[in-house]
Amino acid sequence: MPFAPPDDRPKVPRPGPLAAALLALFALAASGFAAPARAQAGAAPFSIVALGSSSTQGTGASGPAMSYPAQLQRLFEDRYAGHPAVTVLNEGVAGEDIDETAKRLQADVLSRHPDLVIWQTGSNDPLRGVPMDRFQAELKSGIDAIRASGAEVLLMEPQWSPVIERADAKERFVDAVRAVAAQEHVDVVRRFALMRGWIDGGVITAPELIGSDGLHMTDRGYGLLARAVLDQIAAQSPAFRARRSVAAAKP
């Protein structure tokens, strides 16, 4: 067997797990998908603000603990056991349209310096006759403000329900949320399609998903939504994935 000459090149130590995670973060930033600085720091919990109207607040649930943001918080704890720690703040106000939500964006959301904002919108707007051009302009302006604060945005489209099904403009607002999401390059929870899919696929019946008012979700419906939101954040949020990498690397 031929003799191999000694390798005189300097030996470079292999990076430890934490260093490897930090290198991954630098690579993420270089690729143009940099996570917000708060997510990279890894010192505080990953902070999520759930912004929206009654289906964020939890109308129709048996109590505040069964709203989708509260169930989302518990699902994060169950799946990740605090690695990373995650906090979910519920800033849903029942009955709001986008004009009213925009007025409290700074005080209720941006002032809290979240890592991620889940913005549920478009449910009340067709019921109130909000002009489509104003809806889209307010949504784009809000996305810009959230991003300027250093947070990621995840939009959530209107829910399916018998009441919304009867609204003349229901699909226009579902399509508008999706269109703005595509234009602004943000992800969207396709809740209308998800809910129809759960019913059509036999996962849940319409009366089990929507309460007696024909509009708001039940405890079980909010639970299904929370699980879908968690899966989407885990798969698609660069900020959360970066924080998860750092947390997993810690001893």
Side-chain angles (χ1 to χ4, degrees):
M1 180 167 140
F3 174 74
D7 187 351
D8 295 328
R9 291 174 297 177
K11 305 298 186 205
V12 179
R14 295 174 61 86
L18 181 56
L22 291 174
L23 288 172
L25 286 177
F26 293 140
L28 184 67
S31 68
F33 294 95
R38 289 187 296 278
Q40 296 178 20
F46 186 82
S47 173
I48 299 172
V49 171
L51 176 67
S53 54
S54 57
S55 62
T56 295
Q57 186 181 53
T59 302
S62 59
M66 299 308 291
S67 67
Y68 103 75
Q71 294 198 57
L72 179 62
Q73 171 87 64
R74 293 195 295 275
L75 287 171
F76 268 113
E77 292 168 355
D78 290 345
R79 181 176 296 187
Y80 296 106
H83 302 286
V86 176
T87 61
V88 183
L89 180 65
N90 189 337
E91 284 295 345
V93 175
E96 276 194 343
D97 60 27
I98 197 164
D99 295 331
E100 295 163 322
T101 302
K103 290 176 182 177
R104 64 184 182 91
L105 184 62
Q106 176 60 45
D108 289 356
V109 180
L110 304 184
S111 66
R112 301 181 186 279
H113 307 293
D115 296 295
L116 171 67
V117 177
I118 307 170
W119 189 352
Q120 167 259 313
T121 188
S123 294
N124 292 316
D125 303 89
L127 303 177
R128 289 192 174 184
V130 173
M132 181 60 69
D133 57 348
R134 191 169 79 217
F135 175 81
Q136 291 177 309
E138 292 274 23
L139 187 55
K140 290 178 181 179
S141 178
I143 290 170
D144 289 344
I146 293 168
R147 282 176 157 169
S149 77
E152 283 185 357
V153 186
L154 174 62
L155 295 181
M156 181 184 293
E157 69 189 24
Q159 76 265 35
W160 173 88
S161 76
V163 170
I164 292 178
E165 185 74 32
R166 293 192 294 268
D168 292 337
K170 64 178 186 305
E171 292 185 10
R172 290 181 60 221
F173 280 84
V174 172
D175 292 342
V177 173
R178 294 179 183 179
V180 171
Q183 292 164 9
E184 299 295 315
H185 304 289
V186 299
D187 292 321
V188 57
V189 179
R190 298 199 167 204
R191 180 168 56 152
F192 193 92
L194 279 171
M195 294 175 73
R196 287 298 324 176
W198 295 333
I199 294 171
D200 294 343
V203 174
I204 192 170
T205 66
E208 291 171 333
L209 180 61
I210 300 294
S212 59
D213 66 357
L215 179 61
H216 296 103
M217 301 174 76
T218 61
D219 290 355
R220 187 177 171 198
Y222 283 128
L224 289 171
L225 178 61
R227 189 169 299 278
V229 171
L230 172 61
D231 289 343
Q232 188 158 343
I233 291 171
Q236 299 180 7
S237 166
F240 179 75
R241 292 172 66 184
R243 182 69 67 84
R244 172 65 179 151
S245 295
V246 172
K250 289 182 179 180

